[in-house]
Amino acid sequence: MQQNRLTWMIGGPQGSGINASAEVFAKACSRAGLRVYANIEYHSNIMGKHSFYRVRVGDEDVRSYRDHTDILVALDHETLAGDVDHRRWTTHYGHLHEVNEGGGVIYDSDIGYEPPADRTDLRFFAVPFMEIIKAALDEIGKGDQARRYEVMKNTVALGASLALCEYPFDLVAEVIVGQFKGKRSEIGQLNVRAARLAFDHVRDHFDAAGFPYRLQPGPDHKARILANAYEIITLAKLRAGDAVQPY
């Protein structure tokens, strides 16, 4: 069992909200006293192209990302198998080969993915993302509007991940609520509910007890600073007396 040394990766098309879910997870970990290093790889377009976000977490200093991951979350088929089936020239072969032995792969059951027979060292979790979103919307009388809320797949994926590594759900729910202020608070609560349903789905439908990668709050549970690289560089320049014009 590996405790508090975890790399989590989420992949999907740009515009699918992978940034939001990865940053919520990173904040929830840093506020619980864990060290975090995260990075995103993306194309220079607004929507459609494949992108992915890694979050490495530990209770000791973390100064870089790792190429391999313990949990891979796929919002689409390309994250798992690459683009060999729909591009004239293949640009990548997916991220399945980057999952560590014993790792977990969470994916949308609607994408039509069949786990490869030669990866018996991994655990695959097909989760009905849209079904869970619809269930959350049904509770507030909006079940017929599920397609309008498809972007919430990212939150469903995060909730499923928490159940797998046994990270306290309430710590993440607090961060999600904090992302939606004022008139958007109802959306925040809806996202929390969708994440909770996904969390419960994994616990109810899969045997996650033997999953070897676990994550818990840091020993002192003291919140830590989480900052983007450009913010740190700007602060360093100001401290050194340089004039800075960010853009």
Side-chain angles (χ1 to χ4, degrees):
M1 189 71 67
Q2 182 170 295
Q3 180 85 6
N4 281 14
R5 285 184 292 120
L6 178 79
T7 297
W8 179 86
M9 181 193 292
I10 184 170
Q14 287 183 196
S16 60
I18 68 166
N19 299 46
S21 55
E23 288 163 14
V24 164
F25 182 50
K27 285 180 183 179
C29 291
S30 66
R31 290 180 185 179
L34 295 167
R35 274 81 164 182
V36 176
Y37 190 101
N39 83 302
I40 184 171
E41 299 279 349
Y42 59 93
H43 288 268
S44 58
N45 75 325
I46 296 173
M47 295 188 70
K49 297 289 187 180
H50 175 69
S51 59
F52 62 96
Y53 211 132
R54 299 186 191 95
V55 181
R56 183 183 173 195
V57 184
D59 51 18
E60 298 180 353
D61 286 346
V62 177
R63 296 189 174 93
S64 67
Y65 67 83
R66 285 180 170 164
D67 289 329
H68 287 74
T69 186
D70 305 310
I71 297 176
L72 172 64
V73 176
L75 300 186
D76 63 356
H77 194 279
E78 185 173 332
T79 297
L80 297 168
D83 57 7
V84 65
D85 63 336
H86 62 272
R87 289 182 65 94
R88 185 176 179 183
W89 292 284
T90 301
T91 61
H92 73 105
Y93 293 94
H95 301 281
L96 197 62
H97 66 285
E98 298 170 8
V99 183
N100 289 321
E101 182 177 352
V105 180
I106 297 169
Y107 63 98
D108 186 352
S109 60
D110 289 339
I111 65 176
Y113 180 74
E114 289 293 332
D118 61 343
R119 290 309 307 265
T120 57
D121 58 315
L122 303 182
R123 300 181 67 178
F124 292 86
F125 303 87
V127 177
F129 288 7
M130 286 305 299
E131 182 181 312
I132 289 171
I133 291 171
K134 185 177 185 303
L137 289 165
D138 279 338
E139 294 178 1
I140 59 171
K142 293 184 178 181
D144 59 340
Q145 300 179 35
R147 284 296 166 191
R148 290 181 55 194
Y149 293 86
E150 189 170 355
V151 72
M152 285 171 50
K153 286 182 178 181
N154 64 338
T155 308
V156 169
L158 178 56
S161 303
L162 301 177
L164 193 56
C165 65
E166 295 195 343
Y167 195 68
F169 180 84
D170 290 346
L171 296 178
V172 175
E174 181 182 340
V175 177
I176 293 174
V177 170
Q179 302 286 94
F180 297 89
K181 301 289 188 179
K183 294 180 180 179
R184 301 176 70 229
S185 60
E186 182 181 342
I187 300 296
Q189 293 297 335
L190 183 59
N191 273 269
V192 169
R193 185 57 184 152
R196 182 76 220 192
L197 289 174
F199 183 92
D200 293 341
H201 179 90
V202 170
R203 288 197 162 183
D204 294 343
H205 292 81
F206 301 102
D207 179 16
F211 189 68
Y213 302 98
R214 300 297 172 86
L215 193 63
Q216 291 295 308
D220 55 4
H221 208 114
K222 181 181 179 182
R224 298 183 179 279
I225 293 174
L226 183 69
N228 290 316
Y230 71 84
E231 294 170 328
I232 294 171
I233 292 169
T234 301
L235 290 171
K237 287 187 174 182
L238 289 172
R239 182 67 183 271
D242 290 348
V244 178
Q245 183 180 344
Y247 63 94

